[in-house]
Amino acid sequence: KACDVTDSFIFKEINTKLHLRSGFLIHVACVCAGHNASRDVVTLVKSILFHRRNPLHFHFITDTVANRILSSLFQSWMVPSVQVSFYDADELKSEVSWIPNKHYSGIYGLMKLTLTKALPAHLSKVIVLDTDITFATDVAELWGIFRKFTDKQVIGLVENQSDWYLGNLWKNHKPWPALGRGFNTGVILLYLDRLRKMGWEQMWRLTAERELMSMLSTSLADQDIFNAFIKQNPVLVHQLPCFWNVQLSDHTRSEQCYTEVSDLKVIHWNSPKKLRVKNKHVEFFRNLYLTFLEYDGNLLRRELFGCPSPASPQSSALEELDEDDQCYDFRRERLTIHRVHLYFLQYEDTPTEDGTDITLVAQLSMDRLQMLEAICKHWEGPISLALYMSDAEAQQFLRYAQASEVLKNRKNVGYHVVYKEGQFYPVNLVRNVALKNANTPYVFLTDVDFLPMYGLYDYLRRSVVQMDMSNTKKALVVPAFETLRYRLSFPKSKAELLSMLDMGTLYTFRYHVWPKGHAPTNYAKWRTATTPYKVEWEPDFEPYVVVKRDCPEYDQRFVGFGWNKVSHIMELDAQEYDLMVLPNAFMIHMPHAPSFDISKFRSSPSYRHCLNTLKDEFHQDLSRKYGSAALKYLTAQRNM
Amino acid sequence: KACDVTDSFIFKEINTKLHLRSGFLIHVACVCAGHNASRDVVTLVKSILFHRRNPLHFHFITDTVANRILSSLFQSWMVPSVQVSFYDADELKSEVSWIPNKHYSGIYGLMKLTLTKALPAHLSKVIVLDTDITFATDVAELWGIFRKFTDKQVIGLVENQSDWYLGNLWKNHKPWPALGRGFNTGVILLYLDRLRKMGWEQMWRLTAERELMSMLSTSLADQDIFNAFIKQNPVLVHQLPCFWNVQLSDHTRSEQCYTEVSDLKVIHWNSPKKLRVKNKHVEFFRNLYLTFLEYDGNLLRRELFGCPSPASPQSSALEELDEDDQCYDFRRERLTIHRVHLYFLQYEDTPTEDGTDITLVAQLSMDRLQMLEAICKHWEGPISLALYMSDAEAQQFLRYAQASEVLKNRKNVGYHVVYKEGQFYPVNLVRNVALKNANTPYVFLTDVDFLPMYGLYDYLRRSVVQMDMSNTKKALVVPAFETLRYRLSFPKSKAELLSMLDMGTLYTFRYHVWPKGHAPTNYAKWRTATTPYKVEWEPDFEPYVVVKRDCPEYDQRFVGFGWNKVSHIMELDAQEYDLMVLPNAFMIHMPHAPSFDISKFRSSPSYRHCLNTLKDEFHQDLSRKYGSAALKYLTAQRNM
């Protein structure tokens, strides 16, 4: 069947016109390692999806980092008629690690040589792309060129658009051997079948070994070896028209290509300078690139014509919803699957070895970005942040983070982007993304508009030991305060905090508008407490707590604002967590303008009505899960 | 010359392949009236520009509103190889106003009939489009179809995809006469030459008059008349393939079109429900539409290959800049021309007839949107707001404004979008857009994070008379205060304000961080003042003032933050405006988190250095303009 993306066995011959009809499956392979390449490759994928009319199968050769990022991204992206497979680059390392290489792509730059081995044996053809490629046309057009291969040809390539391999760039410049200008390996049509049959695996090795005797190392990674191989076996190459790989490195001759054709197909940002490269038409190319960089990836979820997607659990759940239900929009939002890009920026962290490490967990949108630097200054431990953003905002965030000295120097902050969709703020879904991607045994569940006291990270780690958290079920409460003033000199100690409280410079959190949320913390007792004390759950209690990472998730039915933390604390109580207030911990809420979403919904009676309906349903679910003990929540609710 | 957009005389014959090369000029006409259509047509234009490879000439038949909006938009958009002409719809009204019409498009729906007369006599062919059209392909492909016209054919149309003209939709449904299903006039290829020669102007009138005798009025505007005409003269029509006008109205048969072809060219949102229309593939179509709705229009400024733009004053000024100048980025920003969309939302206002009317003038970006409702509640007079936003943010703003009861009910607020570009916030450019588009004799120059006292509008209008503003050169100072607290109960009178000041609930504006900015207001004197008093200019004074609309503009060299209002007040003083403080006026600054841009730049030494350079240059310009009297500003500066 034409739309079957799982059927990669049969290659269907196509004629020139066929690419305008949908149907046949196209295979694309990409080597991708690390955080930055995983971000870059998304722009390539968007540009392919934007123009495509066929089912696609992406094959990613990835390291652990890229695998984690891209597998969760595609799983949540759910693009119809797109299949994704991953292959472990680390397993392939031994195949190429013996080759000395000076190119900035490192060992991963060499892995394209191993594709006949890495990809499934039944895969007969594949388009191989670098991550710094942008498509300006339907990839099916490129795929169609396989048809033009003679029986002998096994590899399709575009000629190099620089003089590198001519060996005349500077005195004593001695490049690897190549046919004339050589070929660029940013875009490859790889006839895997034929390569396997002719013994490619042995052949490229022999070539590499021979040349390395005089060359000592490769300069341009796989490209040097491909070119040396081709110089020996020129009949194996099918030369592609130059517009299939317009190379924007410096000193490029690419202009001779596209001024003639004026119909660009593929752009290759193969300068280490990337977008900052100088080129007469760079504005034009940059605009094309920026188009996809900021493009709303949700729009690419459209189905192919003639390829209806099989019913998913999500689609049948959607159909079961009653459109006339007053709370239809709420229920629908809960079924929305948001695209998630984990570890959007560089991330490196190993939890401390003593088993006490704690991750600060929070979520935010663009309007709270200015809090990040301050939080980083107040908390030196690991942080897991989920950011609710559009594709364009994610790029804005990237520029901000790259320009910030504070954020640049912190590698133990995991930034996870949850892409915007729909009219509600799915706050608990976003919180869960941050929670699930914490990598330490404990988590500090907080909000982004709070600053922890200085030293909280160390104090909490000590408390984790003191309270025997690993063998008991406890939630450590960090008492919350607030300031209504911008220019706060942050208290350096509990004593200082208490005197500011007495002066009226600080208040207990939400003292004026919602004291119930934190009253059970028992601030009066806390003033004089020197040891942790237990407090009881009460309705509407929503303290900030430290718990084990395997705590219950937030209930995602609560979207927009209201009851999102309350329901979580209730579930901790239902699971019999002890709520222990820490005597020497505090955090302070910093003022900010009311958020958009809050003001949008607080005034709406139907919003409040639906929130009540959702609360009732949550109570029923609690009773089902935890039995009669959970009835107390319902009773408490009814007495209010 | 192929790229000449001004040469619309010669139509160059083209062959099937030629549309892939750039060169020939394509003419597109559109009838566009009112604020909403002016916003919608931009999405159409973006979709055309996105795919085009040819020079284009847009012909807009507009009312006064659309003319003002679209002419300033295209002037600031500066898309290379695009020419725009406007034709006055009001002059054409008499041609069609005699035809009774029930269609929602009103009289403008009929104007397509008058195009042979409205458009220049030398224009031989034109593509006519409704504003609710989205292109999914290069418009040159459609233009190429003129070539396929037989000698007799004068009009190219797609068949209707509804059963309307079959007359069987309901009992007694009696549509206008048509050939079968009739034709849809959302997309027309109009062979103007031939129409003029055969006497179209008389012919359609005769048809209309004849049919109106029995039909009384048109239901579908021009489309009824076109169809009745075609029924009489079927040989004149060239029928276009259905994918050139896929009609998404309800009960559409359009599905039969695109499931066969799977290559859509043009989508027509011709249901009054627009995007909310029910259609099997509506997600697909909506995604295409949303792509262009939120698309960054700046990216469409790219030059056509082979059509280099002639040097503009802007480009030569850019070339004169020294790239090694430390302040290059600042100078470059000043030369950036930002796209401007005036009156983004519905606007209706007539200044009061007594010549005292005052517009509140302010600028903002997304992070201050939540202030708008409060300002509207505090100021009932006209408001001119410039909003600095991206295309995607403008849509977010639109949704916000349409959902807000407060904003929906105000028609005297002009919202002008200045599109984002570059790394600085061009605050004075944005202010000038708001200032220049105030339509009253006086303006109140304020900032969006201030709330005026209740009744300020009336008080200021009385003061304008009292102070004889029309015959003198005065700037009325509204004293500024601030609160550092969110929950402020806004003072109802000067007495209440003074007591809050004494209590420490309020402060004079920037009392803590920058008292010089407002100290010359002389708050001590103001406490007891009962009549306006004159104050002298002092360095760094930046009060909020009421002045005549023809006051000097803000100096646009000051971008980012710093010196943007100070320089303006300095220039008022140089022009010898008297600064008069009003004894019973006040305004209060509401707290907000520090803006992104401020924190980005305040810490940078090179930013401060460049600001000083710009100040020096501003002083020099002042001296040149106002002579030795302006030396006092330089002296004041040096003494600081």
Side-chain angles (χ1 to χ4, degrees), chain A residues 1-12 22-28 49 52-59 74 78-85 87 120 122-123 125 143 302-310:
Chain A
K1 303 191 318 289
C3 298
D4 192 350
V5 290
T6 59
D7 170 11
S8 51
F9 290 83
I10 307 147
F11 176 73
K12 298 183 187 71
S22 61
F24 59 90
L25 176 63
I26 294 168
H27 294 273
V28 175
L49 292 178
R52 65 115 179 202
R53 296 193 188 85
N54 292 74
L56 298 175
H57 191 148
F58 288 102
H59 303 266
F74 278 97
M78 301 195 307
V79 188
S81 303
V82 166
Q83 165 101 338
V84 185
S85 301
Y87 309 89
H122 58 72
L123 196 63
K125 297 182 192 66
W143 185 258
R302 58 181 183 228
E303 281 188 5
L304 295 185
F305 279 100
C307 287
S309 289

Side-chain angles (χ1 to χ4, degrees), chain A residues 20-22 50 53 258 262-264 278 281 284-285 287 290-291 295 298-299 302-303 305 323 369-370 393 396 400 420 482 484-487 512-513 591-594 596, chain B residues 20-22 50 53 258 262-264 278 281 284-285 287 290-291 295 298-299 302-303 305 323 369-370 393 396 400 420 482 484-487 512-513 591-594 596:
Chain A
L20 292 173
R21 297 181 219 146
S22 61
F50 182 83
R53 296 193 188 85
Y258 54 79
S262 101
D263 204 5
L264 290 165
K278 297 221 173 191
H281 293 109
F284 176 86
F285 298 119
N287 284 356
L290 293 176
T291 294
Y295 192 81
N298 298 338
L299 299 179
R302 58 181 183 228
E303 281 188 5
F305 279 100
E323 283 198 41
L369 223 47
Q370 74 281 355
E393 286 170 343
Q396 227 177 309
Y400 174 75
K420 276 186 187 171
E482 78 177 330
L484 301 179
R485 305 185 185 192
Y486 277 105
R487 288 177 280 277
H512 299 85
V513 288
H592 54 75
F596 241 33
Chain B
L20 291 173
R21 297 182 217 143
S22 61
F50 182 84
R53 296 193 188 84
Y258 53 78
S262 101
D263 205 5
L264 290 165
K278 298 223 172 189
H281 293 108
F284 176 87
F285 298 119
N287 284 356
L290 293 175
T291 294
Y295 192 81
N298 298 338
L299 298 179
R302 58 182 182 225
E303 281 187 7
F305 280 99
E323 283 199 40
L369 223 47
Q370 74 280 356
E393 286 170 343
Q396 225 177 310
Y400 175 74
K420 275 188 186 170
E482 78 178 330
L484 302 179
R485 306 186 184 192
Y486 277 105
R487 287 177 280 278
H512 300 86
V513 290
H592 53 76
F596 241 32

Side-chain angles (χ1 to χ4, degrees), chain B residues 373-444:
Chain B
E373 292 194 353
I375 290 176
C376 283
K377 286 177 190 162
H378 281 247
W379 178 274
E380 59 275 32
I383 300 178
S384 177
L385 291 173
L387 304 111
Y388 191 58
M389 294 177 163
S390 67
D391 293 69
E393 286 170 343
Q395 293 305 320
Q396 225 177 310
F397 160 68
L398 177 63
R399 286 191 295 270
Y400 175 74
Q402 287 173 339
S404 156
E405 287 302 320
V406 178
L407 302 187
K408 253 194 313 196
N409 293 327
R410 280 290 284 264
K411 294 277 173 265
N412 64 348
V413 183
Y415 298 97
H416 315 296
V417 178
V418 179
Y419 286 103
K420 275 188 186 170
E421 188 170 7
Q423 56 166 320
F424 294 104
Y425 194 117
V427 56
N428 276 358
L429 180 145
V430 184
R431 280 212 182 91
N432 282 336
V433 168
L435 171 57
K436 283 185 275 190
N437 290 286
N439 301 315
T440 54
Y442 302 98
V443 286
F444 170 35

